[in-house]
Amino acid sequence: MRAVITGGAGFLGSHLCDYFIAKGWDVLCLDNLVTGSEANFAHLAGSPKFAFVRHDVSRHIEVPGSVEAVLHFASPASPPDYLKFPIQTLKVGSLGTHNALGLAMAKKAKFLLASTSECYGDPDVSPQPESYWGHVNPIGPRGVYDEAKRFAEAITMAYHRYHGLDTRIVRIFNTYGPRMRLKDGRALPNFLYQALVGEPITVYGDGKQTRSFCYVSDLIEGIYRLFESNEHGPTNIGNPMEITILEFAERVRALVKTSAPIVFEPLPQDDPKQRCPDITKARRILHWEPKVQLAEGLDRTYEFFKQQLASKAQLS
Ligand code: UDP
């Protein structure tokens, strides 16, 4: 059994490669390394079960041999990244999803789309169930990601309905853990990095906006269960433990025991005021719920960040 994982050099994609290999699959990772890194799969080098091809999946995908699963995870995912690469983000969500679906069709493979809680935009409803259609500004700076993913969901459902393709859609909520880039720009990497190097911790807006952070191992387990299920509709996977960003920054400050101050910076445009997954569906159909508490997940991520900084210091 062989799976093609697009974006397999990224934070989530590389954990997914590990998980599929552990389950006995061969994995072909496709990534153009715009935001991903070969370091994320360096530990798999030499494994007969793993192969990497540098390829931009917004261009036609050609894979010789049989493929039983296509998991489409390629996309910038951090707001600063998709603001830096707006066209690539739109292309990988639209053309990239079309190409990945085409590959799945040609190989008669199962297809899984990595979608996002950003489909709900700045939600009027909280927590967000899958039945909520969202509140998205299509022409705002985040629209390049949100609308690309909404299109990706639409084309995935069209392939399912009109071509009978065996598809899954996971709506991924904020996730954290080892292999996030030190300067990825998202809240947790920023806070941890700033706390570790003693820079002021940047909270955007008044910090009252909320997020719900899921540890990466829980997320990957949920995605695998969805992949194994027969559910074709979008399914939320995330941790419903909601926290304000200011509280989150305080947690990181306390963990690192830094005296670095918290500074308030302007809130980016269209930044969602609240975000929390309703995981009733995942609990019911996948018998899944997150297990790793925030304290434990933060500890593990902190260890990874410390190692990364230490190896960077050694190199320089
Ligand atoms: N945020 C912040 N300081 C930072 C980075 C992010 O206060 O240095 C805020 C951001 O404005 C948002 C929340 O933290 O309200 C989560 O941002 P992130 O980029 O992690 O992901 P998002 O959920 O917005 O996609």
Side-chain angles (χ1 to χ4, degrees), residues 21-34:
I21 289 172
K23 290 282 179 190
W25 288 71
D26 287 354
V27 168
L28 170 62
C29 159
L30 304 179
D31 203 300
N32 65 357
L33 303 180
V34 163

Side-chain angles (χ1 to χ4, degrees), residues 130 231 233-236 278-286:
E130 290 85 353
E231 176 58 35
T235 305
N236 290 340
D278 180 334
I279 58 165
T280 309
K281 181 177 174 185
R283 280 198 175 107
R284 189 182 71 244
I285 66 169
L286 308 177

Side-chain angles (χ1 to χ4, degrees), residues 79 142 174 186-187 190 202-204 209 211 245 271 275:
R142 299 174 86 101
N174 294 68
R186 281 180 275 196
N190 273 6
T202 54
V203 167
Y204 301 157
Q209 70 273 32
R211 293 295 186 273
I245 289 300
D271 197 285
R275 186 182 287 149

Side-chain angles (χ1 to χ4, degrees), residues 237-253:
I237 299 287
N239 191 320
M241 212 284 280
E242 195 174 4
I243 183 171
T244 69
I245 289 300
L246 182 57
E247 207 184 327
F248 192 53
E250 294 287 11
R251 289 284 294 259
V252 174
R253 247 180 121 236

Side-chain angles (χ1 to χ4, degrees), residues 56-72:
D56 178 353
V57 296
S58 298
R59 294 169 185 271
H60 180 74
I61 308 170
E62 198 68 57
V63 175
S66 64
V67 172
E68 283 72 33
V70 177
L71 297 109
H72 182 40

Side-chain angles (χ1 to χ4, degrees), residues 127-268:
Q128 295 84 53
E130 290 85 353
S131 54
Y132 177 55
W133 289 354
H135 180 227
V136 172
N137 175 3
I139 56 162
R142 299 174 86 101
V144 298
Y145 183 66
D146 303 8
E147 295 297 1
K149 289 291 189 181
R150 287 165 68 99
F151 173 86
E153 288 198 3
I155 193 172
T156 299
M157 288 310 294
Y159 268 66
H160 172 63
R161 293 196 183 107
Y162 297 98
H163 289 310
L165 191 69
D166 190 12
T167 58
R168 311 281 181 278
I169 298 174
V170 56
R171 287 195 183 142
I172 298 171
F173 282 67
N174 294 68
T175 305
Y176 69 103
R179 299 191 198 155
M180 287 186 109
R181 278 151 41 221
L182 294 179
K183 296 198 173 177
D184 155 305
R186 281 180 275 196
L188 178 63
N190 273 6
F191 296 166
L192 259 181
Y193 178 80
Q194 290 160 345
L196 274 163
V197 302
E199 285 177 6
I201 295 173
T202 54
V203 167
Y204 301 157
D206 58 11
K208 288 193 185 133
Q209 70 273 32
T210 67
R211 293 295 186 273
S212 312
F213 294 92
C214 186
Y215 189 67
V216 62
S217 60
D218 280 336
L219 186 97
I220 299 293
E221 168 72 28
I223 291 174
Y224 191 77
R225 287 196 194 191
L226 178 64
F227 174 79
E228 293 277 88
S229 78
N230 289 318
E231 176 58 35
H232 302 295
T235 305
N236 290 340
I237 299 287
N239 191 320
M241 212 284 280
E242 195 174 4
I243 183 171
T244 69
I245 289 300
L246 182 57
E247 207 184 327
F248 192 53
E250 294 287 11
R251 289 284 294 259
V252 174
R253 247 180 121 236
L255 172 72
V256 180
K257 298 186 183 68
T258 175
S259 56
I262 288 180
V263 293
F264 293 90
E265 293 191 354
L267 190 69

